[in-house]
Every structure is written in C-alpha cells, then in structure tokens.
Amino acid sequence: MKKIILLSIAICLSFTFTAQELQNFKPKNYTYGLKNLRKNPKKIYIANFNVNIQVYKDAQDKKVGSKDYRKGKVVGDAKAVAAVGLGTLDKKLVQRKVNQLYNDYLTELKNNGFEVISSEVAGKTSSYDGWTKAEGPFVKESEIPGVVKIVPENYSYYYKEQSKFKNKLFKKLRVNANISSTISKELDNALVSDIELYFLFTEDGAKDWLKGNAAKVKINVNYRLINATAVTNIKKNKGLFSVGSKTTDRVNSRVDFTQGKNNIGGSALSFYSGILKNDLEISGVMKKEKIVAYQRQDTDRITSFKNFAIAEDKISKNVNIINVDSNKFSEGFYMAGKEFIFYHLNEVLKNYK
C-alpha cells in the first residue's frame, strides 16, 4: 500500500463581538456541619487558588484498511486529524486578570472580617512536611496537554512532588480534602479554601456512527467554565499513520471550604463543596464552531484488465488557529470566575451570621 497525505489545511479564524455575557449560571453545593462554623474564629487559609485555561486541542480517528485477495479487493487506511489552538492571546493580560480575581477574593474575605493566614504560617504545620512551595505569579503548562495553569501574584501554595498517576489517584480519592481538615486543625480550626477553575474552549464532538468507509473526527468550539468533564488529547504517535491511545484527564471546577477535623475518622467538622449543575458558557468572545476532519478510504480491485490491486493510505488534517481578542477573553473568564467564587463564598458566609 502507498501512503499519501491528501489534505493539510491551516486556517486562521478571527471573530469580533460586542460584549461578554454569562449564560445560564446554575450553582450547586454539597455540605455538612456548617452550623459549626460560627463557633470558630474568622480565620482562613487559601490552600489553592488555581485558574486553568485550555489553549490547544487535538483529536483523531482512524479506519483500518483490509486486504481480501479472494475477492480481489484492497482497502487502504484512512486517518483524520483535527486540531485547534488559540492565537494572539496576551499572556500578561491573562495574568493580570487572574491577579485581579484573586485580589477581589481577598478583599471580600477581609470586608467580612476574616484574617487571612499566610503561606509562611501554614508551611510550619506538620501537614506540609516534605511538600514544596510554589510562588506566583506564573503561567505554565499543566499536567494536562493543551491546558495552562495560572497562579496569581503575591500568592504561594504547597504541592507534593509525585507521579502523574498518584496525582490522579489523589484527586479521585479526594485526598486533598483530608489534608485540608488536618491543616485546619493545626491552624486552630481555621477555614481552609481550595479553589480550582477550568476554562475550556473546546469539547469532543459526537461520534459519527454513519461515517461509512472513512475516518471522521469533530471538535466543537464552546468557551465556558466547566462543571466536570474529561479533557482528551492525542498521545504522540510513532508513525504518521499510527494511532496511539489518547490521554484522558478528568477535571472539575470547584470552590471548597473545610473546617476542623473529627478525632475519629479524620473527616472535617464542616465542609462545603461548591460546583456547577451545568457548564457556565461565556458568550461574546468566540463563535461556536465545528471543526471537522474527514478522510474516505481508498479502494482498489483486481479486474479483467489488471491483475493487481493497490490502495493508498490517506490522511486528512484540519488545523485551525482562532485569533481571539485577549481583552474579551480575559474579561470573560474573570466574570465567570468571580460569579462562581463569590456565590459559593456568600453561601458559606451566611453561616457566620
């Protein structure tokens, strides 16, 4: 079989909108023991304040060929690859908006009479023995392909250096929640907040079961603060026509508050987990689009006129760069993040009255 790239496209998309709007904000929470909060001093330690933004996404599909010499038929492989990335995104502006979101959070806490415990004080607890301190501001690639992590200025946090597998296991078992209760106890039952925001601009398109003898893949463009989802990307392939397994990372946006620790079992005395019922879409920044890559299989047959059959392996690529307005993009995630954080913070504050 021959191998040939039939199509390779690079497209730049640029959109202009008037204003950013949040669509259908529906918060949700899981709580217990909140009546205990008013019994403790108004002190809080911010264990995590992370903003994660997707900047790139790729996906692929492959239809494997076949050889049937009894029927005199040869079918080649077909592979379709779609990819999309954000262009012209101002890193410094994104950082400033994350700083603003964090500073607004601090101001709201202080306006409600809270003393914010520094990372230096928290770092002296036994809970953080063997942990490493990271200091903002910075923007860096996260462990999730295509996603960057932004940490605000004048903010520090601690993390445990371990394998990606252990990090996933810790998230699945909610080990951080247990650590937060221990930290709270060591900080005289201070409230511990853990904030993780994920802003994605793509989602996997529905699989096309009627594609026939072809490879087809779709990526939907939809900018939003996600509730919970799986972020998938292509693992690096050894060959042009090979299809490796895809990476899958489960993520969710949350605003968690933990206070105290039970002597038996180690669970928190009070716990509030703020999430979303549905993704919070951010309109007015980028147009909803479907990015599709499609490649039909090549077929050849032995006939009375020729005694051989050759089918080509074919690949189709659709690569897009979306040139977004950095101001509107940054204002969009700032608005959504503030709406989300402040709603759940205010729900917690009600229990101190």
Side-chain angles (χ1 to χ4, degrees), residues 47-301:
N48 286 293
F49 192 99
N50 298 320
V51 177
N52 304 276
I53 296 176
Q54 185 183 46
V55 296
Y56 178 81
K57 162 77 176 176
D58 56 19
Q60 66 180 355
D61 185 36
K62 183 178 180 181
K63 186 77 171 180
V64 179
S66 62
K67 298 177 182 179
D68 191 339
Y69 292 114
R70 289 187 302 169
K71 296 181 179 180
K73 180 181 178 182
V74 177
V75 180
D77 292 345
K79 182 178 178 181
V81 179
V84 59
L86 297 182
T88 64
L89 190 59
D90 188 333
K91 175 181 173 181
K92 292 182 179 179
L93 181 56
V94 169
Q95 180 71 69
R96 285 200 299 270
K97 276 299 180 181
V98 171
N99 296 347
Q100 184 180 351
L101 184 60
Y102 174 68
N103 288 330
D104 288 351
Y105 181 54
L106 285 181
T107 299
E108 188 69 9
L109 289 170
K110 292 175 181 178
N111 286 344
N112 281 276
F114 275 86
E115 174 191 340
V116 179
I117 298 173
S118 69
S119 59
E120 288 74 18
V121 172
K124 296 176 182 178
T125 63
S126 61
S127 301
Y128 282 141
D129 286 347
W131 289 54
T132 303
K133 185 178 181 180
E135 298 183 12
F138 63 76
V139 178
K140 72 170 186 177
E141 293 182 5
S142 71
E143 294 179 344
I144 303 172
V147 175
V148 296
K149 175 179 178 179
I150 304 99
V151 172
E153 188 176 16
N154 298 321
Y155 174 71
S156 302
Y157 69 98
Y158 295 89
Y159 66 95
K160 188 104 173 158
E161 292 186 344
Q162 53 199 3
S163 67
K164 187 175 181 180
F165 170 77
K166 285 186 177 180
N167 277 334
K168 285 186 175 181
L169 183 63
F170 270 37
K171 288 180 181 179
K172 186 175 181 180
L173 297 177
R174 294 194 65 83
V175 172
N176 283 341
N178 291 334
I179 292 172
S180 293
S181 63
T182 303
I183 294 171
S184 174
K185 184 177 181 179
E186 291 192 78
L187 295 174
D188 297 324
N189 286 338
L191 194 63
V192 177
S193 78
D194 186 347
I195 296 174
E196 198 82 39
L197 307 180
Y198 283 90
F199 295 93
L200 307 184
F201 76 98
T202 70
E203 53 191 346
D204 293 328
K207 193 173 181 65
D208 188 349
W209 299 102
L210 301 176
K211 62 185 177 181
N213 297 323
K216 185 177 181 181
V217 65
K218 291 185 288 186
I219 298 175
N220 297 330
V221 176
N222 184 17
Y223 183 34
R224 66 211 189 281
L225 171 65
I226 64 101
N227 170 28
T229 192
V231 180
T232 61
N233 278 282
I234 303 173
K235 276 189 176 179
K236 188 176 181 180
N237 298 324
K238 293 182 179 179
L240 183 62
F241 283 86
S242 64
V243 177
S245 59
K246 63 183 180 182
T247 64
T248 302
D249 294 275
R250 297 291 310 179
V251 298
N252 69 290
S253 299
R254 69 182 192 278
V255 179
D256 289 352
F257 295 93
T258 306
Q259 182 273 318
K261 180 179 180 180
N262 282 301
N263 293 326
I264 300 176
S267 62
L269 296 174
S270 304
F271 181 69
Y272 180 102
S273 183
I275 58 173
L276 292 165
K277 288 183 180 179
N278 308 106
D279 294 350
L280 178 56
E281 295 187 2
I282 306 167
S283 65
V285 178
M286 59 182 73
K287 185 179 178 181
K288 287 187 177 181
E289 292 283 324
K290 289 184 179 180
I291 297 167
V292 181
Y294 176 88
Q295 179 59 58
R296 190 172 181 83
Q297 288 178 298
D298 184 39
T299 303
D300 195 18
R301 294 178 180 273

